[in-house]
Amino acid sequence: MTTTHSGSAQLGTDAVSSTRFVAPGIDSLNVRMGPSSAYPAVGLLMPGARVTGMSYAGWLQITEGPLVGGCVSTDYLTGDRPTATPSTPCPRIVGRVTTDNQFANIRSGPGFGHRIVGRYACHEQVTGALVDDGPWVRTERGYVNAGTIAIYATNPAALNGCIPLRLLSPIPLCYNASAHFEPGYTPDTPRYLNGSALAALHRLQAAFKRRFGHYATIDLTYRSYDEQQYWHRKFGSPRAAHPGTSNHGYGLAIDFEERDEPWIYSWGAVANRWLLTHQSGFGFDNPYAATLQEGEDYHFNFVG
């Protein structure tokens, strides 16, 4: 779940990471948009729920799990592990679909094996309850992956390219393409994704390796606003999205390795056919697949 907002108050640079638990003896603990009770509540945690994040000035900003980016008061946290994990750690969340031009899948059950029964549109509000520890959210229309939702937001677009790397997850270097390319990418350059998208990517990569004997190599994932500016200056529109509008700016898009000559990820090639056939089963979507010959054959969005 994506949550950090470039215009909201952020925890200080001297914050310390820790793992705590919601203290017993309270009904529930609000997860707020920012580090103050003046911010609106965007979720609830039950007593005993585990939270990991950065502590600063009486607040903890969550850095792991479906509520990543939200803030809770440390007055209601303890270092004592509960004797039993609460059955419903987060009964309610409110958010909006985190994309500028795509969607979030609605499924008949909490998992990629369940059929798609609809879509939430770009920036559409989603209200529901977390299933167990996530990442699936049960809504009145079906089940949505929390990775596609910004839990606080009136305007998710403000996130684009402005997400602190501590709220994203680094992908394994073994997924990286071997090429060196602008602006400064090497096989050892860290790439980052939304945590739920990375969990889905791990499943896709395991299946891809069983089929082809190697991982599906990746060029690009999360792009900061500055990097979006770089690519837009280099290529212009429509090849490069206008800065602040790329789905890479949410950590929800992957570019598999691109080459100038046709190869395994090109339209109609063996790896591209496999990805298009199996993408839905891992929560991904190539928005250009309907054309098969136009647009980016290597680009896939995480849509749950």
Side-chain angles (χ1 to χ4, degrees), residues 192-254:
Y192 295 86
L193 280 176
N194 170 286
S196 295
L198 179 58
L201 176 63
H202 287 324
R203 296 176 67 251
L204 181 151
Q205 290 284 24
F208 190 94
K209 189 174 183 181
R210 287 195 297 270
R211 169 62 179 83
F212 294 99
H214 59 84
Y215 295 120
T217 47
I218 290 172
D219 277 342
L220 296 170
T221 51
Y222 174 71
R223 292 182 195 167
S224 68
Y225 188 86
D226 288 345
E227 186 178 345
Q228 292 180 54
Q229 288 183 309
Y230 173 87
W231 291 115
H232 192 260
R233 285 194 299 266
K234 183 176 178 65
F235 294 118
S237 299
R239 181 173 178 181
H242 192 274
T245 66
S246 170
N247 280 326
H248 287 283
Y250 299 114
L252 292 172
I254 296 170

Side-chain angles (χ1 to χ4, degrees), residues 3-5 8-12 15-18 31-35 51-56 58-64 67-74 77 164 166-167:
T3 54
T4 299
H5 189 295
S8 65
Q10 296 300 306
L11 302 185
V16 177
S17 179
S18 62
V31 180
R32 296 190 177 275
M33 182 191 302
V51 286
T52 297
M54 308 294 288
S55 298
Y56 179 78
W59 290 84
L60 181 142
Q61 185 179 46
I62 300 171
T63 56
E64 294 183 8
L67 289 167
V68 63
C71 294
V72 293
S73 170
T74 56
L77 300 179
R166 70 174 182 272
L167 299 183

Side-chain angles (χ1 to χ4, degrees), residues 173-192:
L173 293 180
C174 59
Y175 295 171
N176 285 357
S178 59
H180 293 66
F181 56 91
E182 301 175 76
Y185 279 93
T186 76
D188 296 322
T189 302
R191 276 80 154 166
Y192 295 86

Side-chain angles (χ1 to χ4, degrees), residues 176-179 216-219 255-259 263 265 298:
N176 285 357
S178 59
T217 47
I218 290 172
D219 277 342
D255 284 353
F256 291 104
E257 188 175 354
E258 179 188 11
R259 295 187 182 178
W263 84 306
Y265 302 117
Y298 49 81

